[in-house]
Amino acid sequence: MEELKSIMEKFVASGWDLISIPAQQWLDGQADKDTLVSAIRQADEECGSCGCDLDPLYKRALELI
């Protein structure tokens, strides 16, 4: 669970609304799991191979959820 929390904190720090908002909601205990999973999948599709530090985190977060 600590690993997932760390990933969500990185998503929030990214400032990318697509994942930062659902990640912050998750950290606040107010996340809808389906919305979060959908946002992470969309982020992975749009940016999952751009070479940034977040690329491997999308798939790992989905494994942990």
Side-chain angles (χ1 to χ4, degrees):
M1 196 63 147
E2 192 61 34
E3 181 182 3
L4 184 57
K5 181 181 177 198
S6 174
I7 292 171
M8 292 301 164
E9 289 170 346
K10 289 176 184 174
F11 289 168
V12 170
S14 76
W16 186 18
D17 286 351
L18 175 65
I19 57 170
S20 66
I21 293 170
Q24 184 63 59
Q25 290 171 341
W26 184 88
L27 289 169
D28 293 342
Q30 301 172 350
D32 173 65
K33 181 180 175 183
D34 293 336
T35 301
L36 179 62
V37 168
S38 177
I40 294 171
R41 284 190 178 136
Q42 184 177 347
D44 188 35
E45 287 175 23
E46 291 183 20
C47 184
S49 60
C50 74
C52 76
D53 292 341
L54 298 179
D55 289 352
L57 299 181
Y58 303 130
K59 288 174 182 55
R60 183 62 182 152
L62 291 171
E63 290 173 5
L64 294 171
I65 292 177

